[in-house]
Amino acid sequence: MEDKKVTVGGQAVVEGVMMRGPKAIATAVRKQDGSIVYKKIALTEKSNRWLKVPFVRGVIALYDAMVVGTKELIFASNQAGLEEEKLTDKQVGFTVMTSVLLGIAVFMWLPSAVGGFFFPGKANILKANIVEAIIKLVLFLGYIYGISFLKDIQRVFEYHGAEHKSIMNYEMEKELTPKNAKECTRFHPRCGTSFLLLVMFISILVFSTVDLFFKVPTGHFTMLIYKLITRILFVPFVAGLSYEIQRWTSYHLDNIFAKIIAVPGMWLQKITTSEPDESQLEVAIVALNVALGNEVTNATEVFE
């Protein structure tokens, strides 16, 4: 059954992995001296309760990917020794806010604005949304492919593979060890990258429908404002719907329709994940154990 086992999600960071489980959000990092440290954010029954609410949990997943993920990425960079000075809370907050706004502007608002600029008016909605869809996909896939050549990102992709393998190890109900995780596949149907790709596709359908029901302004300036407002307002709905679709497909891969939906994201993981070594799997398992509330003896907790 779908809810038989606790659902665990994760995200790769610099020299480490972030995991969200029933007990905590945990980030484990391999330091330059070879030791493993971890930070955990304890979760309460109240916060976990929202993860059981359909559509709401999708918004939480997007929040984790964009906001919590950025914070933990900065934490990991500091612990891995890639930052000369630790960032202050204000600097972290500014970085997170900038990242979120930039993501919305580049991957949602800009493609929509360009489509509306070249094909204004209700009569051209279909053409405008086709252009919007093409630009979104080109920007997103181009970004993923482009960064895959960076040496530091290649390391992150290895930890992304370690994250998937350790979660698969857990879901197969085998002892959590680097050796067992090594034998698991690095492709996972609930991957965060696959989720973002699905968000792109679903946003195209949702925003096209929105533009059909609302009067799209013909003036360039008012059109830009309209696009900005509607895209931001419907982001939670898009995230919630995308999450529920991905969750359903991940448990029904024997269904032809579910498989068709899941396949593009699984293909994308051939770029965004790489085979990890056992030392990277060890880090991922530390994060997973902490997120599950298990005791760890091979890592040290740090506090911020």
Side-chain angles (χ1 to χ4, degrees):
M1 292 292 291
E2 182 173 324
D3 294 321
K4 181 179 178 181
K5 199 166 183 63
V6 172
T7 300
V8 179
Q11 179 178 325
V13 294
V14 176
E15 292 302 321
V17 172
M18 178 189 84
M19 293 282 191
R20 174 189 271 273
K23 299 296 183 180
I25 296 175
T27 302
V29 181
R30 176 82 68 179
K31 293 177 71 72
Q32 288 184 339
D33 62 8
S35 63
I36 302 174
V37 296
Y38 68 88
K39 185 188 78 170
K40 68 177 180 180
I41 303 171
L43 297 176
T44 63
E45 285 295 324
K46 183 178 180 181
S47 59
N48 282 328
R49 185 175 63 205
W50 292 110
L51 293 174
K52 299 177 182 178
V53 180
F55 296 99
V56 173
R57 56 194 176 192
V59 178
I60 295 174
L62 187 61
Y63 176 84
D64 278 354
M66 299 185 72
V67 179
V68 178
T70 302
K71 287 183 178 180
E72 297 310 295
L73 186 62
I74 293 170
F75 162 78
S77 297
N78 288 331
Q79 293 300 318
L82 300 185
E83 296 287 349
E84 294 183 1
E85 296 182 4
K86 289 189 176 183
L87 300 176
T88 65
D89 289 342
K90 287 184 178 180
Q91 289 173 321
V92 170
F94 177 77
T95 301
V96 170
M97 183 180 296
T98 302
S99 300
V100 171
L101 292 177
L102 191 60
I104 292 174
V106 173
F107 294 109
M108 288 197 172
W109 176 73
L110 179 61
S112 180
V114 172
F117 181 83
F118 285 102
F119 297 100
K122 200 153 191 171
N124 294 314
I125 284 178
L126 180 59
K127 293 180 181 178
N129 284 307
I130 289 175
V131 171
E132 177 181 348
I134 293 172
I135 295 174
K136 278 183 178 180
L137 292 176
V138 169
L139 284 175
F140 181 69
L141 296 177
Y143 171 76
I144 294 295
Y145 183 71
I147 65 173
S148 69
F149 292 98
L150 301 176
K151 185 177 180 180
D152 289 342
I153 297 299
Q154 289 172 358
R155 288 285 295 175
V156 173
F157 285 174
E158 289 172 4
Y159 275 102
H160 192 189
E163 173 225 326
H164 285 185
K165 281 174 171 283
S166 59
I167 291 177
M168 291 296 290
N169 183 176
Y170 165 71
E171 292 178 342
M172 292 174 67
E173 300 186 345
K174 292 184 178 181
E175 182 184 2
L176 285 174
T177 66
K179 184 177 180 180
N180 286 341
K182 187 76 174 176
E183 297 175 355
C184 297
T185 177
R186 75 176 199 265
F187 306 119
H188 198 287
R190 293 196 313 276
C191 172
T193 309
S194 299
F195 170 65
L196 292 177
L197 180 61
L198 189 57
V199 165
M200 290 290 171
F201 282 116
I202 297 300
S203 69
I204 293 165
L205 298 176
V206 170
F207 295 146
S208 296
T209 304
V210 168
D211 290 347
L212 285 172
F213 279 93
F214 292 93
K215 184 177 180 181
V216 181
T218 54
H220 290 315
F221 179 75
T222 52
M223 182 272 293
L224 291 175
I225 298 300
Y226 162 83
K227 294 282 187 179
L228 179 63
I229 293 174
T230 55
R231 273 45 183 173
I232 292 177
L233 285 178
F234 281 90
V235 163
F237 177 76
V238 170
L241 181 59
S242 300
Y243 184 88
E244 297 308 317
I245 292 174
Q246 186 185 47
R247 186 179 175 87
W248 177 77
T249 59
S250 70
Y251 291 105
H252 299 86
L253 290 176
D254 55 338
N255 181 292
I256 184 64
F257 296 106
K259 197 167 185 177
I260 290 172
I261 294 172
V263 161
M266 301 291 273
W267 283 345
L268 187 59
Q269 290 176 49
K270 292 183 179 181
I271 298 176
T272 62
T273 66
S274 298
E275 286 295 330
D277 58 33
E278 291 198 5
S279 68
Q280 293 168 318
L281 289 166
E282 183 185 16
V283 174
I285 289 172
V286 167
L288 180 54
N289 273 320
V290 174
L292 292 170
N294 300 334
E295 183 180 356
V296 296
T297 57
N298 59 334
T300 304
E301 183 176 4
V302 296
F303 302 90
E304 286 198 333

